Amino acid sequence: AAYPPPPADMFGSMPGYEGTVVGGGGYLPPPAPSAPEAPPQPAPDQNQWIIPSLSEDVAREAFKSFAASNCCYSKSPANDGVITKMEPFNTFRYRLETFTESRSTEWAHKPHEGETPDFYTQTAPRPWEVAATPPGLFQNHTEEIRVPYTSSIKDCHVCHASGTLPCEECHGTGYKQCWVCNGSGKQMSDDCHRCSGSGKESCSVCDGRSTKECENCKGKRQLLTYINLKVEWKNNVEDHVLEQSSGMKIDDLRSVSGKELFKNSHYMVYPLTGFPYPAISEASERLVREHQSKYPQTSRVLQQRQTVELIPITKVNYKWKDDSHVYYVFGNENQVSADNYPATCCCTIL
């Protein structure tokens, strides 16, 4: 059942939480950061930039696994196709991760189950003073915390402190029309055997009591109101993949990993400098600037991490039934992309 919202005057005024409303508002600005930025980062060591060429056997097995994993694909092109050419199109991916903590508050309530209210027994800590520990760096997680010294007891606004509400099924009468005789009390010329001629039967939802327990207060008649603090840790990730001319879609690369050439983390990282491919350095400078401008407005930045990966991409040309076709093998996982697979069928899932 949809219950009416609590009245505006149900919750008191709390120092430091004057803008808190039922249902919550926007994120609360964090305190000013104090940690210094990291020093400029050098370019990765170019000695590690070599990826061994993909062998035909590995490319063929990856293609067979790809075909076998799709029920609508015939295995014939993968098993019988002849590889005619293999071309490497390895590319670089720059990734910036900004791990943030955001906090928001709202007035909340629960059935009062004997808790002692602590409203004004001490000064309530401000939103960013409440202790909360993330489960680990760069891991998304949400936690809700009842703010100390904000709780008080109020009468339930839904049932007006009665603990019960009229049963919606029988409209508070305690009985319903007999379904056998449709309320007539008769079956042919005899009294209805189900309702004994009364035309009605006890409501099975409320057991004939005409009322049900109030779900808002669970029959307790009173509510414990308090300020609920929602803490959200989020890893904000953005990538930049260097353009490559293989014809493969860049979006397909998001699900794979590459050879890690460089990684560093700090409270605030400094843009990567001196990279041989200017597009990577430019992406680093742009993303670092955007993240360090955007996220501190509503969140506290806990850590940043930047990585550069070399992602292997091999374009495989092959012939099957005298026609030429192409597929791609990419990433450390040897995933396959074949948009125009030459032998598909209609699948019906029963």
Side-chain angles (χ1 to χ4, degrees):
Y3 294 127
D9 59 355
M10 178 174 171
F11 305 103
S13 177
M14 179 67 57
Y17 294 86
E18 289 81 359
T20 301
V21 296
V22 178
Y27 289 114
L28 303 167
S34 56
E37 290 186 4
Q41 304 302 316
D45 181 2
Q46 297 189 30
N47 293 331
Q48 304 299 319
W49 291 15
I50 299 173
I51 294 180
S53 298
L54 194 70
S55 69
E56 284 195 14
D57 288 341
V58 172
R60 190 175 292 108
E61 288 304 313
F63 198 32
K64 288 180 180 179
S65 298
F66 168 76
S69 67
N70 196 312
C71 66
C72 296
Y73 284 6
S74 165
K75 298 180 179 62
S76 181
N79 291 333
D80 304 330
V82 178
I83 294 176
T84 58
K85 186 178 182 182
M86 294 176 58
E87 301 173 86
F89 287 90
N90 304 335
T91 191
F92 295 98
R93 175 172 63 199
Y94 173 82
R95 172 171 290 170
L96 177 64
E97 300 169 83
T98 299
F99 185 55
T100 60
E101 177 182 326
S102 303
R103 298 194 174 198
S104 59
T105 58
E106 65 175 338
W107 277 106
H109 59 76
K110 63 176 288 294
H112 180 228
E113 298 173 303
E115 301 96 333
T116 301
D118 57 10
F119 185 73
Y120 271 138
T121 56
Q122 290 189 39
T123 301
R126 298 301 196 263
W128 284 96
E129 295 173 348
V130 177
T133 304
L137 290 176
F138 306 106
Q139 297 178 27
N140 293 338
H141 184 67
T142 300
E143 186 175 335
E144 294 192 1
I145 303 170
R146 189 190 305 175
V147 178
Y149 313 118
T150 64
S151 65
S152 59
I153 299 172
K154 305 288 184 180
D155 288 343
C156 178
H157 59 282
V158 173
C159 65
H160 303 291
S162 68
T164 61
L165 291 170
C167 175
E168 294 181 350
E169 184 70 18
C170 64
H171 306 290
T173 63
Y175 58 84
K176 298 191 298 181
Q177 177 179 283
C178 175
W179 63 271
V180 174
C181 65
N182 293 323
S184 68
K186 295 291 185 181
Q187 283 185 293
M188 305 297 287
S189 58
D190 299 322
D191 286 346
C192 174
H193 70 278
R194 177 155 184 97
C195 63
S196 302
S198 68
K200 54 190 178 182
E201 58 182 332
S202 177
C203 175
S204 59
V205 175
C206 66
D207 295 324
R209 294 191 300 269
S210 76
T211 60
K212 287 179 59 181
E213 180 184 274
C214 174
E215 294 183 11
N216 193 52
C217 68
K218 303 300 181 186
K220 302 297 184 180
R221 303 186 180 189
Q222 291 183 315
L223 302 171
L224 185 76
T225 66
Y226 57 93
I227 290 179
N228 187 60
L229 174 67
K230 181 180 179 181
V231 185
E232 182 179 1
W233 292 279
K234 185 176 181 181
N235 192 29
N236 304 276
V237 184
E238 280 193 76
D239 295 338
H240 178 83
V241 178
L242 207 62
E243 291 289 342
Q244 38 79 34
S245 57
S246 69
M248 184 181 170
K249 298 175 183 176
I250 287 181
D251 284 346
D252 290 342
L253 301 177
R254 298 189 186 280
S255 61
V256 299
S257 61
K259 182 177 183 179
E260 189 175 279
L261 304 178
F262 175 82
K263 178 167 72 173
N264 86 302
S265 59
H266 201 270
Y267 162 66
M268 288 283 194
V269 299
Y270 195 88
L272 189 63
T273 59
F275 200 84
Y277 293 86
I280 291 295
S281 296
E282 291 167 5
S284 174
E285 184 175 352
R286 174 177 59 83
L287 290 177
V288 167
R289 182 177 65 251
E290 290 176 357
H291 278 220
Q292 294 182 0
S293 172
K294 174 182 177 182
Y295 293 111
Q297 303 299 318
T298 57
S299 311
R300 177 160 59 187
V301 175
L302 301 181
Q303 193 86 354
Q304 285 190 307
R305 179 167 64 191
Q306 58 182 346
T307 56
V308 177
E309 296 171 281
L310 182 57
I311 302 177
I313 301 173
T314 301
K315 182 178 182 179
V316 183
N317 297 269
Y318 70 102
K319 274 197 171 185
W320 180 69
K321 290 186 175 181
D322 296 327
D323 290 326
S324 296
H325 305 279
V326 171
Y327 67 89
Y328 300 90
V329 182
F330 57 99
N332 290 340
E333 299 80 1
N334 288 333
Q335 286 196 20
V336 169
S337 173
D339 289 344
N340 298 310
Y341 193 78
T344 61
C345 62
C346 260
C347 294
T348 302
I349 299 176
L350 301 178

